[in-house]
Amino acid sequence: MRRLDVVYGLVQNAMGGALMVLNQKNGLWTLPGGGVERGESLPEALKREMSEEVGLDVEPGSLAALNELRDAERGRHILFFTFHCQARVLKPTIVRPEEILEWRWMGPDEAAKHWAYYPQGLRGLVAGNAPYVDEGQGL
């Protein structure tokens, strides 16, 4: 199976809402993010994706969640890394309308209606906190 890495950014506003985006490709609401390109670290990919999708300059923090999908039918093994993020300015904008149809701040109850990727929903994701350590290029 081919391995793919995907990063998502959990950005919250002062009211506790999470920034969610409606994806053009599949019509699903998700956190902003996307695929990691060859040679990128996870934080580098997340910074690029957040800028490309919603125009935010973010600083990735700790790892909130790690999801895994083994898709034998398509020959893919996907790891989804979700990071807590601090945005320097909380003014999202749609940068690529061909990818993102809409963005919205969603609280836990609204997010639960649209988004089922995390067993405890947005509340559990917000509470998740595992450090991410980049150990570099090896010895």
Side-chain angles (χ1 to χ4, degrees):
M1 273 193 236
R2 184 170 57 109
R3 164 82 180 269
L4 300 170
D5 293 338
V6 174
V7 291
Y8 289 115
L10 174 59
V11 175
Q12 292 183 271
N13 63 13
M15 310 276 265
L19 179 63
M20 304 285 289
V21 295
L22 180 59
N23 292 277
Q24 167 82 313
K25 182 177 178 181
N26 56 17
L28 298 176
W29 285 95
T30 66
L31 296 172
V36 177
E37 294 179 359
R38 178 170 287 230
E40 281 184 316
S41 69
L42 299 175
E44 288 169 343
L46 184 55
K47 287 179 178 188
R48 177 185 50 75
E49 285 289 341
M50 295 294 284
S51 176
E52 288 177 358
E53 286 194 359
V54 289
L56 292 181
D57 180 15
V58 301
E59 187 58 40
S62 61
L63 190 62
L66 173 60
N67 293 38
E68 184 173 18
L69 172 67
R70 287 170 303 285
D71 183 357
E73 185 175 307
R74 294 184 182 158
R76 304 181 305 176
H77 179 199
I78 307 171
L79 294 179
F80 300 93
F81 300 88
T82 303
F83 286 89
H84 293 279
C85 289
Q86 291 294 320
R88 297 185 197 331
V89 178
L90 283 180
K91 292 186 180 177
T93 184
I94 296 174
V95 178
R96 292 187 171 172
E98 68 278 6
E99 291 181 23
I100 304 299
L101 296 173
E102 180 183 347
W103 66 266
R104 186 184 308 168
W105 294 106
M106 289 189 191
D109 294 334
E110 184 180 5
K113 294 175 189 174
H114 299 288
W115 184 53
Y117 297 110
Y118 300 94
Q120 293 83 30
L122 181 56
R123 284 183 183 88
L125 188 62
V126 168
N129 193 12
Y132 168 75
V133 178
D134 183 347
E135 294 188 17
Q137 301 295 318
L139 302 175

